[in-house]
């Protein structure tokens, strides 16, 4: 028994792989192209561990994916690989269409061919688990109910449009070809190994460097935050008990405005690593809003709880404290991911901040 994981050197994928081996010995083949967001340092604890095979490669490479499926005969594909940052999708949507749409299509086609050749239990137990986002549902009005699995798709950014396209392909490969797929749509994750281009890690690393904390627009946009290891346990629950063809929303029951998140990070840093220059909140800087910025996301996670008994283990207070502590204890990791490419991105995106 083996899993094929794609994107397992990124933020959520690497947490998933590390988390998996804390309780299981089932091997993982980890296919990742190591873009700017993929980092082998995330997987350093697995060096020399025979359960983990890392393959540097592109999900758009059909011959490679075919070879991996034929060689390892995984019982499931857990598909994380994606371009994942909304701001980057605004500057360069092409990479999002390539990886998120064409890459998912390539994997689906390879999986379909492989699955067609399986028999008996191997065939009926096979799963294609597609990891997606709540952003495909679009933006919620302030008092609207949270997203259920039947909420209409209304993606607004090139990122969410490309993820929506991949969700549609996954759905169609089930309905048309019978491929046993499951899709999970998750809210914003946070936690260790989060690349510091996203809100929470960016605020932590900027605060520690005494740099401005750039808050887009009025800072009142709402996201529903989920600790990354809770996302991993949700994926495991769906992988083992989810019904083929179904979608499960995964969320943290934690709606927070961005400015409140930033203030919480500042307060925790004031406690854990006080800055002699004064409270970190002095660095908060309102900057131009993101074009097309979605106002609110919120997940109704009752289906996964009802059917599979999953609920997040962390509260926001416990998760954000662990996260800030992790960044304080892992300055070397932060330095290692702040490459030249990272610095170029930050100076382009925050030129006016
Ligand atoms: P990430 O950007 O941190 O990591 C993506 C990984 O995919 C990287 O390791 C990268 O090298 C790899 N990759 C990119 N293009 C590839 C290609 N063509 N072939 C092979 N590998 C490639 O992303 P993440 O935050 O870990 O997100 C993982 C998945 O979860 C994505 O599908 C994303 O849409 C989804 N998701 C993320 C969040 C979130 O808050 N981060 C929330 C919900 C869903
Ligand atoms: P982000 O972490 O990029 O995730 P997503 O856009 O996928 O939700 O952003 C989370 C929220 O924080 C989003 O509303 C945009 C906002 N934000 C800022 O205000 N400043 C920043 O520098 C960044 C990166 C995000």
């Amino acid at each position: 028994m083996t899993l094929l994981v794609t994107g397992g050197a990124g933020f959520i994928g690497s947490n998933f792989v590390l988390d998996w081996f804390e309780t299981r010995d089932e091997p993982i083949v980890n296919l990742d192209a190591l873009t700017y967001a993929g980092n082998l340092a995330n997987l350093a604890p697995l060096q020399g561990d025979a359960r983990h095979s890392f393959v540097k490669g592109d999900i758009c490479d059909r011959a490679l994916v075919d070879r991996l499926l034929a060689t390892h005969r995984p019982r499931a594909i857990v598909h994380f690989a994606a371009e994942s940052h909304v701001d980057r999708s605004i500057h360069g949507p092409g990479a999002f269409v390539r990886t998120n749409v064409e890459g998912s299509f390539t994997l689906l086609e390879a999986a379909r061919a492989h699955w067609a050749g399986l028999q008996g239990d191997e065939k009926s137990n096979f799963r294609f688990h597609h990891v997606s986002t709540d952003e495909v549902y679009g933006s919620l009005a302030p008092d609207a109910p949270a997203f259920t699995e039947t909420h209409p798709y209304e993606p607004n950014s090139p990122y969410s449009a490309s993820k929506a396209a991949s969700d549609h392909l996954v759905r169609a490969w089930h309905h048309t070809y019978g491929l046993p797929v499951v899709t999970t749509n998750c809210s914003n994750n946070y936690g260790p190994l989060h690349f510091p281009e996203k809100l929470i890690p960016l605020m932590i690393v900027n605060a520690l460097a005494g740099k401005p904390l750039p808050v887009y627009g009025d800072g009142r946009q709402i996201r529903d935050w989920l600790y990354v290891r809770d996302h991993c346990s949700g994926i495991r629950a769906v992988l083992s008990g989810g019904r083929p063809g179904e979608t499960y929303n995964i969320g943290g029951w934690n709606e927070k405005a961005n400015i409140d998140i930033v203030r919480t990070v500042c307060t925790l840093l004031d406690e854990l690593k006080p800055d002699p220059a004064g409270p970190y909140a002095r660095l908060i800087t309102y900057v131009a809003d993101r074009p097309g910025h979605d106002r609110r996301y919120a997940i109704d996670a009752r289906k996964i709880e009802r059917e599979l008994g999953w609920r997040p283990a962390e509260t926001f207070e416990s998760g954000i404290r662990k996260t800030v502590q992790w960044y304080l204890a892992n300055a070397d990791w932060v330095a290692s991911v702040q490459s030249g490419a990272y610095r170029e991105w930050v100076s382009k995106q925050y030129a006016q901040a």
Side-chain angles (χ1 to χ4, degrees), residues 140-148 151 296 298 300:
L140 283 171
D143 299 325
F147 300 128
T148 63
H151 195 280
R296 174 176 167 237
D300 180 334

Side-chain angles (χ1 to χ4, degrees), residues 195-261:
F195 194 74
E197 64 181 355
K198 306 278 171 69
L199 180 72
I200 290 179
L202 184 79
M203 296 299 145
I204 299 171
V205 305
N206 275 16
L208 292 173
K211 292 187 181 159
L213 308 181
V215 174
Y216 297 163
D218 65 2
R220 303 303 318 168
Q221 301 83 4
I222 289 172
R223 300 290 182 265
D224 178 353
W225 294 92
L226 179 70
Y227 191 66
V228 62
R229 291 289 178 117
D230 279 330
H231 187 187
C232 297
S233 72
I235 291 171
R236 286 202 308 272
V238 172
L239 190 60
S240 59
R243 288 178 290 134
E246 289 290 316
T247 288
Y248 296 87
N249 283 355
I250 307 183
W253 302 104
N254 265 315
E255 284 188 59
K256 305 263 182 219
N258 293 340
I259 186 64
D260 296 332
I261 297 282

Side-chain angles (χ1 to χ4, degrees), residues 6-14 31-39 42 55 57-61 79-85 95 98-100 103 130-135 159 163 184-190 193-195 197-198 225-226 228 231 235 250:
T6 71
F11 164 47
I12 304 173
S14 62
L31 171 63
D32 194 299
L34 296 181
T35 68
Y36 79 92
N39 192 342
N42 297 356
V55 178
D58 194 323
I59 57 166
C60 297
D61 181 345
H79 175 34
F80 293 96
E83 290 291 338
S84 68
H85 187 34
R98 183 180 178 278
T99 286
N100 301 359
H130 178 56
V131 179
S132 192
T133 166
D134 59 357
E135 303 195 23
Y159 164 64
K163 291 296 291 187
T184 47
N185 293 84
C186 188
S187 58
N188 285 62
N189 285 216
Y190 68 100
L193 305 170
H194 204 181
F195 194 74
E197 64 181 355
K198 306 278 171 69
W225 294 92
L226 179 70
V228 62
H231 187 187
I235 291 171
I250 307 183

Side-chain angles (χ1 to χ4, degrees), residues 85-91 93 96 133-141 147 151-165 168 221-223 290-297:
H85 187 34
V86 174
D87 291 319
R88 285 185 191 256
S89 82
I90 295 167
H91 288 286
F96 288 71
T133 166
D134 59 357
E135 303 195 23
V136 298
Y137 299 126
S139 189
L140 283 171
F147 300 128
H151 195 280
Y153 270 47
E154 292 172 340
N156 291 319
S157 72
Y159 164 64
S160 55
S162 67
K163 291 296 291 187
H168 292 323
Q221 301 83 4
I222 289 172
R223 300 290 182 265
R290 169 188 282 173
H293 198 169
D294 283 340
R295 198 70 189 163
R296 174 176 167 237
Y297 305 139

